[in-house]
Amino acid sequence: MKSTIIVIGGGLAGSEAAWQLAERGYHVKLYEMRPIRATGAHATDRLAELVCSNSFGSKLPDRASGLLKTELTLLRSHLLACAERAAVPAGGALAVDREQFAELVTQSLENHPLITLVREEATEIPVDAPVVIATGPLTSEAFAQAIGSLTGQEHLYFYDALAPIVTAESIDMNIAFRASRYGRGDDDEGDYINCPMTRDEYERFVDAVIQAERIELRRFETEDDLFFEGCLPIEQIATRGRDALAFGPMRPVGLTDPRSGRRPHAVVQLRQDNLAGTLYNLVGFQTNIRWGEQKEILRMIPGLENAEFVRLGQMHRNTFINSPALLHPTLRLKSRPDLFFAGQITGVEGYMGNVATGVVAAINLARHIAGKSPWILPPTTMLGALCHYVAHAEPKYFQPMKSNFGILPALDITVKDKRARYQKYVERALRNLRFSIDELQDDYLLSQHSEATT
C-alpha cells in the first residue's frame, strides 16, 4: 500500500499538489483551515479561491506566462485545465470566472477517491508522514510559528493588495469603450472596457490618490515597507512621480479613444471577472486607500462616475520563507527529505507559478517515496528557472519572483530582436522540457503521451 501524504493548504499550489499525488496512486489528506478559520482576504471556503486578480496572465506562446502555461500543459496540470474550462474573454490573457474556477477545483478534489479533504487548521508539521506545505501568503500565525521552529529562519514578508470590482451595468459606456491593446482579443469589440483620461483629468486623479488617507495596517504588518514590485498599490506607484501611473497600470499604449480618434493621456482598463459578464475588475488597481475615500477617488475616473462597487481594494500581509537558505531546486527542505514546500510561500509569484510549484513538489515527493532520484527541471525552462531562482538567489536579498524571460540562461546565439529572442527561448524551453519528461519515465505523464498517440 502506498504512503498517505499530508498536503497543508488548499490554495492553488496545495490543490495542484494533492491532485498530482492522488493521480499517481497516493492517498492524500488535504488540510484547509477555511471555513473553521478565516483569512483577511478570502471570501469563501472553496479550494483555490482567487483573492487578487482573476487573470492567470498571458496565454500568448511567446510570452513568459504563456510559456509557463505550455509547460504546465505538458505536465498535465489539473488547475490549468480547470482555468481553461472557466475562462472568460480577456484578449491575449487567460482570465477566469473566479467562482466557477474555484468550484471546479473544489468539486474535483472532493470527488477524487484518493483525496480526503480535512477542514481544520494545521498547527503543527507532521513528523510521521510525508508532507507538502503550501499554506500560501496568508499562513496562520500558529502554523507560521511551526514553520519557524522547524527551519530556524526568520520569515520575510511583503504586502499585497486587492483590486476593486464594479458591476458592468454601472459603467458609463458613453464614455468608456471596448478594446484590447493593439486590437488583440477574441472579438472585434475587444475584451477590455477602457476608461480614457485627458491630462487634466489624470492630474486631478493623481493629486487625489497621493493625498488620500490609507487604511492602517495591523500591528504585525507595519514593521517594514516591503512591497512586491509586481503588485504595488496605486498610491505607492503615484509617490514615484506624477507620470508613474501613466507609465504603469494606466498606460494608454495600443488604444485609441473612439470619441477623439486619438490615444488618451491615460487609461484605466477593466477586465471581465465572471462568465456572465456582470462584474469587472480594475486592472492593476490594487489599493489600500480608505474605503469611503476610495469610492470617491475611483469615481473620478471617466465612465465610473456612478460605479457600483462589489469589492473595494485592500492590502494584507503575505508571508514567504527564505527559500535559498532552506530549499533545494526540487522544493525539498534541505533538513528533511520527505518535506516539500510549494506555492507563494516559497517566493514564487503569480497564479501559474504557484500552480507549477505544486506540480514540482508532488512529482519529487512521489519520487522520493519510491526511492527514485530527484527531478531537477532544466533551468532553460520557465518552471525550471523559477525553481532555480528560489533555491539559488542571494538569501540576504531574496524577494519574490514571477515568470519572466530575464531569469532564463542566455541563448548560445545573439538575437537582437526581442520577440525573435523570446521565441528562441520558448523553442529551447519546450525542447528541453520534452526531453526531461521522457527521461523522467513518470507513468502519469507517459499516459497522456500514450492517449495522444492513440
Side-chain angles (χ1 to χ4, degrees), residues 134-383:
T135 47
L138 300 177
T139 299
S140 71
E141 184 175 352
F143 197 71
Q145 290 176 356
I147 295 174
S149 297
L150 173 70
T151 63
Q153 295 288 327
E154 183 179 10
H155 286 150
L156 306 175
Y157 61 86
F158 62 94
Y159 294 123
D160 201 0
L162 310 185
I165 296 176
V166 302
T167 62
E169 62 183 4
S170 68
I171 303 170
D172 186 351
M173 295 305 296
N174 292 316
I175 298 174
F177 62 93
R178 284 190 170 275
S180 298
R181 295 189 194 279
Y182 303 107
R184 301 186 187 113
D186 295 332
D187 55 50
D188 294 336
E189 285 189 334
D191 293 335
Y192 291 80
I193 293 177
N194 302 275
C195 298
M197 281 189 178
T198 64
R199 171 173 276 283
D200 288 344
E201 290 168 335
Y202 173 79
E203 293 291 344
R204 289 194 294 271
F205 180 78
V206 170
D207 285 337
V209 168
I210 291 175
Q211 296 167 14
E213 187 176 357
R214 306 176 191 183
I215 297 173
E216 292 182 8
L217 299 172
R218 289 168 288 181
R219 179 185 56 80
F220 68 88
E221 293 180 319
T222 58
E223 298 172 9
D224 295 294
D225 290 326
L226 296 178
F227 294 96
F228 171 53
E229 192 68 24
C231 202
L232 288 174
I234 57 171
E235 58 271 22
Q236 182 73 10
I237 298 174
T239 62
R240 297 183 171 185
R242 297 198 63 82
D243 292 328
L245 285 170
F247 282 92
M250 298 177 68
R251 62 191 183 279
V253 296
L255 296 167
T256 301
D257 186 346
R259 295 180 303 166
S260 65
R262 297 190 301 271
R263 188 174 81 175
H265 180 75
V267 165
V268 175
Q269 283 200 309
L270 293 92
R271 179 175 54 227
Q272 188 173 327
D273 203 79
N274 62 347
L275 280 175
T278 57
L279 301 177
Y280 277 76
N281 63 66
L282 279 66
V283 179
F285 257 58
Q286 298 81 219
T287 179
N288 199 44
I289 296 172
R290 283 193 174 277
W291 285 355
E293 194 172 1
Q294 187 179 141
K295 286 184 179 181
E296 295 178 5
I297 292 173
L298 294 178
R299 284 173 177 153
M300 294 174 64
I301 299 170
L304 299 186
E305 292 88 347
N306 299 305
E308 177 185 351
F309 294 95
V310 173
R311 183 184 77 186
L312 287 165
Q314 71 178 73
M315 275 177 47
H316 56 86
R317 173 178 146 178
N318 281 357
T319 304
F320 60 97
I321 62 173
N322 193 356
S323 292
L326 301 172
L327 302 183
H328 290 289
T330 60
L331 303 183
R332 195 201 90 187
L333 186 68
K334 292 178 180 178
S335 62
R336 181 176 161 181
D338 68 342
L339 193 155
F340 289 73
F341 281 82
Q344 203 164 340
I345 196 167
T346 67
V348 168
E349 262 298 327
Y351 291 155
M352 281 289 92
N354 295 330
V355 170
T357 56
V359 175
V360 174
I363 290 176
N364 276 308
L365 179 50
R367 292 182 68 81
H368 167 75
I369 294 171
K372 297 179 179 180
S373 59
W375 183 48
I376 300 178
L377 285 90
T380 52
T381 64
M382 189 57 67
L383 179 48

Side-chain angles (χ1 to χ4, degrees), residues 23-85:
E23 287 295 289
R24 287 168 172 80
Y26 293 93
H27 293 269
V28 178
K29 283 188 176 180
L30 174 60
Y31 282 78
E32 170 52 51
M33 66 180 183
R34 293 175 293 120
I36 305 302
R37 184 177 178 86
T39 74
H42 291 87
T44 76
D45 63 354
R46 293 189 184 96
L47 302 176
E49 179 185 343
L50 306 181
V51 300
C52 191
S53 168
N54 71 322
S55 174
F56 283 82
S58 176
K59 59 185 179 183
L60 299 177
D62 63 343
R63 302 295 195 273
S65 181
L67 170 57
L68 186 56
K69 290 179 180 63
T70 305
E71 293 177 359
L72 282 173
T73 298
L74 293 174
L75 293 170
R76 298 191 68 178
S77 165
H78 177 59
L79 266 67
L80 176 57
C82 290
E84 290 170 341
R85 287 176 60 190

